[in-house]
Amino acid sequence: LQTYPTITEAAVVVRDDLVSATQSIVAYVQPRQQSETDIRRYLSERLPQYMLPSFIMSVDSMPWSLSGGKRDIKRL
């Protein structure tokens, strides 16, 4: 994701869906100036199907830990 031309930061996490008892890959990107379709096409050319995110979420900024050393995935 971070090699995509308009994405400055990205984080990918696996989220549990408690309703369906499944897991989903969720990609958080900053900023998303291109359409989700364009990003999906870009990723599908580089990743196997099972690694493609189920969801792509645009965020204004990535949350960082209080020390500033790591992304705070829990706050996404």
Side-chain angles (χ1 to χ4, degrees), residues 30-48:
Q30 175 204 352
R32 190 183 82 192
Q33 295 175 343
Q34 297 292 339
S35 73
E36 184 175 326
T37 303
D38 292 340
I39 294 171
R40 287 188 182 285
R41 184 178 308 117
Y42 177 83
L43 292 175
S44 68
E45 293 170 356
R46 290 159 176 77
L47 297 171

Side-chain angles (χ1 to χ4, degrees), residues 11-71:
V12 178
V13 295
V14 175
R15 296 280 187 205
D16 292 324
D17 184 338
L18 300 176
V19 175
S20 65
T22 61
Q23 292 183 320
S24 298
I25 298 173
V26 181
Y28 296 90
V29 297
Q30 175 204 352
R32 190 183 82 192
Q33 295 175 343
Q34 297 292 339
S35 73
E36 184 175 326
T37 303
D38 292 340
I39 294 171
R40 287 188 182 285
R41 184 178 308 117
Y42 177 83
L43 292 175
S44 68
E45 293 170 356
R46 290 159 176 77
L47 297 171
Q49 180 69 28
Y50 73 92
M51 292 181 75
L52 296 175
S54 300
F55 305 97
I56 298 175
M57 309 294 294
S58 179
V59 295
D60 292 329
S61 64
M62 289 289 169
W64 292 90
S65 64
L66 294 177
S67 65
K70 294 183 180 182
R71 288 191 181 110

